[in-house]
């Protein structure tokens, strides 16, 4: 009865105040008036006249800068998709935060910082989940399940396109609540969904704001950061860190597919998760792609089918029945170029296209090949292998944290600088200054193209595999070793001959006379103690 009353009160407050959020936008901004004004600059304290905390120097309200440079030829339209020049279709003014302040109202601290002035560093370390204690593993599983069941405190999602967002009467925003984890799923779906071209027309599928381009690594990096921050808030623990799954172990066994981690295989259905795992109770969202494509609707928070997973079970594609090898990671890390024209899934000798998995680990593009990130997804053979659904399987989180760890290691080894990230001609959404879809406040690809420990407040605890020696290196080492052995043996022989000659000469010398002082006992002790020191 109490919970029912609380629900009714909450609904009444929402109805009366209409302080709803569109997709990833904050509740304070998405009223009919807010949407029509195009401004989203709330106060962190709710005080009137304190936009973005301007009265305390936290930030100021500014015009949004949207990328105007040319994008690649993959997307041939203009003005047909809400995500073009993101987020200008919805808002054109937002908060710009000063110093270490951040958030949509400048009421928060940048990642890795805390305190009233956001000047106290905290340690957020992402670790290998297989090396965590039993208690740590269980705590992480519990946290994921809590995020799946906890309504997001700040966000709701839009269920219609912008033209219909205010409803039939022009004053009723079309929105629904969503949980923290389901929002993580929804934002990924929104970035890969097709462009709706109108009734009776086939939706355009050759668009992807988070894959098949340079933004693959930067988009997923922020995607993870957002979930990590939401879970830190949910748990009240600023040091909470998402662990990673080292999927580059070879073989056909899914080592994290156990009931104490991400769920073992069901004994009753090879494509299902064991009922002993909490994840067997999870249900997916964003499954009704036919409706989205034909009716122009947007994924809502309705949960439908269970997670499907059958690791190494795709017998029709033997190539995806094995996980990547450790050597694949090392080969990928040695690639010098971040990305190469056409900055797409056909790029060759590109670190980005290789880690994404459209090229062989050595960098050569091959349309048949699937490696690293892509191979790990396809290996799961189920929900995790379908782009629009994949985050529904929580393995997605750990798979992508390891992918991000490889990206951060590449940045550390090559020190490329922002200039290597293409400024234009990448697929739409992937240019350097494009605001990544659908994140708010706006964040560009360039802002995530930085070393994580120094700039983003988190680090990885990874033991990278050692590189195997090549045949030429082995031969060189053998030759050097043989030369050293010959030199040592020769030196020993020379010393032996010299010592023998010295003893022969000494035998001809007269005995020392008494005029030469002998070592006293004290002298010998002193000498002994000195040599020990």
């Amino acid at each position: 009865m109490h919970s029912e009353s609380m629900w009714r009160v909450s609904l009444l407050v929402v109805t009366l105040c209409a302080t709803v959020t569109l997709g990833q936008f904050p509740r304070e901004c998405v009223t009919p008036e807010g949407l029509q004004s195009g401004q989203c600059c709330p106060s962190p304290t709710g005080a009137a006249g304190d936009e973005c905390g301007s009265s305390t120097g936290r930030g100021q309200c500014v015009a949004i800068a949207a990328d105007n440079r040319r994008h690649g030829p993959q997307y041939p339209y203009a003005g047909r998709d809400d995500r073009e020049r993101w987020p200008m279709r919805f808002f054109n003014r937002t908060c710009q935060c000063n110093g270490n302040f951040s958030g949509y109202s400048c009421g928060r601290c940048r990642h890795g910082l805390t305190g009233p002035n956001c000047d106290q560093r905290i340690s957020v370390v992402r670790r290998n989940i297989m090396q965590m204690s039993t208690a740590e593993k269980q705590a992480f599983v519990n946290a994921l399940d809590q995020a799946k069941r906890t309504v997001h405190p700040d966000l709701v999602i839009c269920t219609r396109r912008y033209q219909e967002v205010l409803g039939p009467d022009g004053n009723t925003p079309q929105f629904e609540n969503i949980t923290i984890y389901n929002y993580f799923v929804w934002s990924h779906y929104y970035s890969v969904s097709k462009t709706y071209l109108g009734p009776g027309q086939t939706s355009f599928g050759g668009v992807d704001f988070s894959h098949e381009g340079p933004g693959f690594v930067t988009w997923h990096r922020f995607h993870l950061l957002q979930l990590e921050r939401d879970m830190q808030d949910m748990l009240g623990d600023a040091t909470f860190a998402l662990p990673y799954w080292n999927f580059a172990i070879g073989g056909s066994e899914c080592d994290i597919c156990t009931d104490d981690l991400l769920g073992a295989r069901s004994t009753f259905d090879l494509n299902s998760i064991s009922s002993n795992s909490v994840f067997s109770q999870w249900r997916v969202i964003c499954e009704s792609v036919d409706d989205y494509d034909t009716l122009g609707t947007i994924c809502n928070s309705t949960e439908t089918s269970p997670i499907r997973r059958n690791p190494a079970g795709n017998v029709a594609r033997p190539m995806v029945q094995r996980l990547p090898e450790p050597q694949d990671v090392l080969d990928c890390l040695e690639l010098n170029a971040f990305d190469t024209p056409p900055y797409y899934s056909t790029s060759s000798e590109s670190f980005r296209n290789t880690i994404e998995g459209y090229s062989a680990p050595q960098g050569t593009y091959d349309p048949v090949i699937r490696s690293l990130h892509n191979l790990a997804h396809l290996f799961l053979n189920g929900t995790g292998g379908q782009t629009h659904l994949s985050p529904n399987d929580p393995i997605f989180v750990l798979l992508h944290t390891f992918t991000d760890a490889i990206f951060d290691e590449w940045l550390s080894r090559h020190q490329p600088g922002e200039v290597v990230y293409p400024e234009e001609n990448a697929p739409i959404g992937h240019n350097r200054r494009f605001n990544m879809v659908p994140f708010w406040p706006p964040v560009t690809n360039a802002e995530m193209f930085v070393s994580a420990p120094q700039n983003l407040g988190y680090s990885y605890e990874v033991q990278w595999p050692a590189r195997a020696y090549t045949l030429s290196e082995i031969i060189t080492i053998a030759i050097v070793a043989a030369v050293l052995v010959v030199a040592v043996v020769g030196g020993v022989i020379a010393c032996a001959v010299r010592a023998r000659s010295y003893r022969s000469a000494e035998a001809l010398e007269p005995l020392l006379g008494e005029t030469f002082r002998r070592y006293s006992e004290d002298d010998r002790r002193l000498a002994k103690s000195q040599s020990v020191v």
Side-chain angles (χ1 to χ4, degrees):
M1 179 67 70
H2 176 71
S3 61
E4 183 178 350
S5 300
M6 289 298 293
W7 181 85
R8 287 177 177 172
V9 170
S10 299
L11 181 60
L12 180 61
V13 170
V14 170
T15 305
L16 292 177
C17 298
T19 54
V20 299
T21 301
L22 172 62
Q24 63 297 322
F25 301 122
R27 284 186 173 87
E28 293 92 327
C29 296
V30 190
T31 61
E33 297 77 20
L35 286 169
Q36 291 164 3
S37 72
Q39 177 168 305
C40 180
C41 295
S43 164
T45 62
D50 184 34
E51 294 178 345
C52 312
S54 57
S55 64
T56 54
R58 298 181 78 94
Q60 50 278 324
C61 189
V62 299
I64 294 174
D67 181 54
N68 283 315
R69 291 185 174 271
R70 293 172 298 178
H71 58 73
Q74 297 83 5
Y75 180 71
Y77 302 101
R80 304 296 296 273
D81 195 307
D82 291 346
R83 299 166 295 183
E84 297 174 25
R85 300 189 68 242
W86 184 259
M88 301 300 284
R89 183 69 61 91
F90 302 97
F91 291 103
N92 53 44
R93 291 182 66 80
T94 185
C95 288
Q96 182 182 75
C97 304
N98 300 325
N100 292 332
F101 300 115
S102 72
Y104 65 82
S105 65
C106 299
R108 308 190 62 170
C109 299
R110 290 174 56 190
H111 297 287
L113 296 170
T114 188
N117 298 315
C118 298
D119 54 2
Q120 301 171 25
R121 292 199 170 274
I122 52 178
S123 177
V124 178
V125 182
R126 297 177 179 177
R127 300 165 53 208
N128 188 333
I129 195 168
M130 298 301 293
Q131 296 174 359
M132 292 164 60
S133 69
T134 301
E136 289 171 332
K137 292 175 182 176
Q138 188 60 54
F140 174 66
V141 168
N142 291 344
L144 277 179
D145 191 49
Q146 185 179 344
K148 178 73 171 177
R149 295 180 288 103
T150 302
V151 174
H152 202 292
D154 301 320
L155 308 176
V156 294
I157 59 168
C158 177
T159 57
R160 304 297 297 184
R161 293 172 295 111
Y162 180 73
Q163 293 89 330
E164 303 167 347
V165 72
L166 293 177
D169 63 357
N171 200 45
T172 308
Q174 305 294 294
F175 71 96
E176 290 184 7
N177 284 326
I178 194 165
T179 68
I180 289 171
Y181 192 86
N182 281 351
Y183 172 69
F184 179 72
V185 177
W186 184 90
S187 56
H188 188 268
Y189 145 80
Y190 190 80
S191 74
V192 304
S193 60
K194 295 180 181 180
T195 299
Y196 181 69
L197 298 177
Q201 300 187 57
T202 302
S203 293
F204 179 72
V207 61
D208 193 323
F209 289 82
S210 57
H211 302 81
E212 299 186 67
F216 165 73
V217 287
T218 49
W219 190 97
H220 285 86
R221 165 167 280 193
F222 190 79
H223 191 218
L224 292 168
L225 268 177
Q226 191 175 52
L227 176 64
E228 190 169 66
R229 174 61 72 90
D230 285 342
M231 293 182 70
Q232 288 170 351
D233 291 346
M234 177 190 74
L235 298 169
D237 180 5
T239 66
F240 169 81
L242 298 171
Y244 66 86
W245 169 40
N246 179 359
F247 55 71
I249 55 177
S252 58
E253 294 296 322
C254 177
D255 56 348
I256 60 171
C257 296
T258 58
D259 284 335
D260 65 324
L261 287 175
L262 280 300
R265 194 194 312 265
S266 170
T267 55
F268 302 103
D269 180 356
L270 294 180
N271 296 305
S272 298
I273 297 174
S274 164
S275 60
N276 295 322
S277 167
V278 67
F279 299 115
S280 67
Q281 304 302 315
W282 281 29
R283 297 295 181 266
V284 307
I285 65 168
C286 301
E287 194 172 29
S288 305
V289 289
D290 289 340
D291 287 347
Y292 313 145
D293 296 344
T294 59
L295 303 178
T297 58
I298 295 175
C299 165
N300 57 36
S301 60
T302 301
E303 296 185 344
T304 52
S305 308
I307 296 169
R308 309 294 282 174
R309 189 197 300 157
N310 183 11
N314 190 345
V315 295
R317 296 182 69 183
M319 180 185 70
V320 302
Q321 290 184 290
R322 289 182 61 85
L323 287 165
E325 300 287 342
Q327 186 63 39
D328 297 345
V329 174
L330 295 176
D331 289 340
C332 177
L333 285 170
E334 290 185 354
L335 292 167
N336 291 317
F338 169 66
D339 213 344
T340 58
Y343 310 119
Y344 191 50
S345 55
T346 55
S347 293
S348 199
E349 305 305 319
S350 155
F351 164 77
R352 187 275 314 161
N353 205 40
T354 302
I355 184 60
E356 189 169 358
Y358 288 106
S359 294
Q362 298 77 23
T364 304
Y365 169 68
D366 185 332
V368 178
I369 289 291
R370 292 296 180 268
S371 65
L372 293 165
H373 156 268
N374 282 347
L375 178 55
H377 270 297
L378 294 171
F379 171 85
L380 296 174
N381 189 36
T383 302
Q386 302 175 67
T387 307
H388 69 288
L389 290 178
S390 55
N392 280 289
D393 187 333
I395 289 181
F396 178 100
V397 177
L398 292 90
L399 187 161
H400 273 275
T401 42
F402 187 62
T403 303
D404 183 66
I406 297 172
F407 171 43
D408 204 61
E409 179 67 11
W410 185 87
L411 288 173
S412 175
R413 294 186 184 190
H414 294 267
Q415 301 287 316
E418 182 185 286
V419 67
V420 306
Y421 192 107
E423 195 170 28
E424 59 184 9
N425 295 322
I428 188 169
H430 293 262
N431 282 348
R432 187 192 305 171
R433 298 297 173 191
F434 200 96
N435 295 316
M436 294 184 288
V437 175
F439 303 128
W440 185 270
V443 55
T444 66
N445 287 297
E447 291 175 74
M448 292 294 108
F449 195 71
V450 291
S451 171
Q454 287 76 33
N455 300 278
L456 301 177
Y458 70 91
S459 61
Y460 286 98
E461 191 178 273
V462 184
Q463 184 64 49
W464 298 105
R467 186 173 67 85
Y469 290 113
T470 64
L471 180 60
S472 61
E473 288 173 333
I474 293 173
I475 293 173
T476 301
I477 291 171
I479 293 172
V480 171
V483 171
L484 289 174
V485 168
V486 170
V488 170
V489 171
V492 170
I493 293 173
C495 289
V497 171
R498 185 174 181 181
R500 184 174 180 181
S501 300
Y502 176 76
R503 285 197 298 272
S504 298
E506 188 181 48
L508 302 175
E509 293 288 335
L511 295 174
L512 292 174
E514 291 296 326
T515 56
F516 288 88
R517 186 172 66 86
R518 302 178 182 181
Y519 284 113
S520 68
E521 190 64 21
D522 290 338
D523 289 337
R524 285 197 298 274
R525 285 198 201 98
L526 180 59
K528 182 177 181 182
S529 66
Q530 288 173 336
S531 67
V532 170
V533 173

